[in-house]
Amino acid sequence: MTTTDHGNAIGSDDSVIPQAWETYKAEDHAIWRRLFERQSKLLVGRACAEYLAGLDQLGVCADGIPDFRKLNEVLDRTTGWQIVAVPGLISEAAFFGHMAERRFVATRWIRSAAQLDYLQEPDIFHDVFGHVPLLTNPAFADYLQAYGRGGLKALRLGALDMLARLYWYTVEFGLLRTPDGPRIYGAGIMSSKGESIYCLDDPHPNRIAFDLKRILRTRYRIDDFQETYFVIDSFEQLMGETAPDFAPIYRQVAELAEIEPGDVLPTDILVDRLFDGRTDT
Ligand code: HBI
Ligand code: FE
């Protein structure tokens, strides 16, 4: 079992705890405010409209660390999701079990001023600012619940390495195609200053049209910005394409070679070219 910088062994404590919002100190709220102000400026014209609408609806703002009780009132009225607080990384079985029941697990600790730009594991800014706004979107909310159910099944089938790539390349690092160009919906990008600029503006990474089997074969980097982003057309597409039974898909994909993070295949549709008005052939 690995111990992380934050001192939690993954899966060592799956308990749901109170957020204990009253116990945050002025410094904690000040860190939230710095992070919120920095990201919310950057995300205009970069984050997808669904995300920005959710942020607004939830009342997540620069005032300070949000109180889960208030967020849960809004979520209850919109998609029926709830946020539950956990001490840190929890076991995969517990993580997917909550998700399958429309409960999103969020950490309650916030990074220190020295860790503003890089974290090895999620804190409340990543979890709440990055993930929670899209839980107000009905199609995304259904996708995440379906992912939780799929996660429990993948655990039984021994296919979690494959399925975890889908989470990574959609929920954490996904881009959405819009008439104005690609926009961010992935929480890992949303909560990162550097990557929210890099993923859209830098010529280096590949931006490839969503392709389920292709994603299940693609390794990912956890130590640097992504080499490849996958671009969906809509959250309905994401839900539709991941609705089928994955068991036969896992068997097919297991026979195929893995794809390295930066590889481009002849069959890939590069989205930048579509926006340039050139063809993808
Ligand atoms: N626990 N708190 C927490 N947050 C996560 O994002 C998380 C987790 N446990 C397991 C897990 N993620 C992963 O295995 C998934 O990314 C597949
Ligand atoms: Fe995350």
Side-chain angles (χ1 to χ4, degrees):
M1 193 167 280
T2 6
T3 303
T4 63
D5 279 357
H6 187 56
N8 289 317
I10 296 169
S12 66
D13 185 357
D14 288 348
S15 53
V16 167
I17 56 174
Q19 183 193 13
W21 185 82
E22 299 74 15
T23 63
Y24 290 113
K25 298 191 178 71
E27 303 97 88
D28 300 327
H29 290 297
I31 297 262
W32 175 280
R33 198 170 306 125
R34 268 175 81 177
L35 289 166
F36 182 92
E37 282 172 352
R38 197 171 78 171
Q39 275 319 94
S40 54
K41 276 194 211 105
L42 268 177
L43 292 180
V44 177
R46 297 176 184 276
C48 67
E50 293 85 344
Y51 169 89
L52 293 171
L55 201 60
D56 191 52
Q57 214 179 343
L58 289 161
V60 170
C61 64
D63 288 356
I65 297 172
D67 185 334
F68 291 176
R69 289 169 295 198
K70 292 191 183 145
L71 300 179
N72 282 340
E73 283 175 26
V74 180
L75 288 174
D76 193 45
R77 291 199 301 271
T78 52
T79 57
W81 272 76
Q82 290 288 282
I83 305 166
V84 294
V86 291
L89 286 169
I90 62 172
S91 70
E92 278 138 359
F95 183 68
F96 297 136
H98 285 296
M99 208 172 260
E101 304 284 336
R102 287 173 107 82
R103 286 189 299 271
F104 188 78
V105 302
T107 50
R108 59 168 306 277
W109 70 284
I110 192 155
R111 66 194 74 181
S112 68
Q115 302 169 296
L116 230 44
D117 294 315
Y118 182 73
L119 285 183
Q120 277 211 328
E121 59 174 300
D123 74 340
I124 192 171
F125 186 74
H126 168 78
D127 285 331
V128 172
F129 182 87
H131 285 282
V132 171
L134 273 183
L135 295 176
T136 60
N137 180 267
F140 186 85
D142 287 350
Y143 169 68
L144 205 61
Q145 178 176 30
Y147 187 92
R149 291 179 175 148
L152 294 173
K153 194 163 144 192
L155 275 175
R156 294 196 297 273
L157 296 172
L160 196 58
D161 288 351
M162 281 182 265
L163 189 67
R165 293 171 179 160
L166 180 63
Y167 193 83
W168 192 264
Y169 283 120
T170 61
V171 179
E172 295 291 357
F173 292 96
L175 298 179
L176 171 70
R177 203 169 141 188
T178 81
D180 302 321
R183 291 289 182 267
I184 303 162
Y185 74 90
I189 310 175
M190 219 59 99
S191 58
S192 158
K193 177 187 179 217
E195 197 150 5
S196 53
I197 300 170
Y198 170 87
C199 73
L200 296 175
D201 295 3
D202 199 287
H204 177 73
N206 311 309
R207 285 165 281 259
I208 297 174
F210 180 87
D211 174 338
L212 176 64
K213 286 182 200 158
R214 198 319 187 172
I215 290 176
L216 297 180
R217 292 171 62 194
T218 309
R219 296 157 49 86
Y220 56 81
R221 305 188 60 163
I222 56 165
D223 56 347
D224 203 348
F225 295 162
Q226 301 305 301
E227 295 280 337
T228 295
Y229 300 95
F230 288 94
V231 188
I232 60 169
D233 288 332
S234 66
F235 296 123
E236 288 76 13
Q237 176 203 25
L238 196 54
M239 184 70 208
E241 296 210 22
T242 56
D245 177 16
F246 275 29
I249 299 174
Y250 292 142
R251 285 195 294 273
Q252 273 180 29
V253 169
E255 299 296 314
L256 301 170
E258 293 190 327
I259 301 167
E260 292 306 313
D263 286 356
V264 178
L265 309 183
T267 45
D268 288 337
I269 297 174
L270 295 168
V271 169
D272 299 79
R273 290 181 165 218
L274 296 181
F275 281 114
D276 282 355
R278 280 177 277 162
T279 64
D280 50 293
T281 50

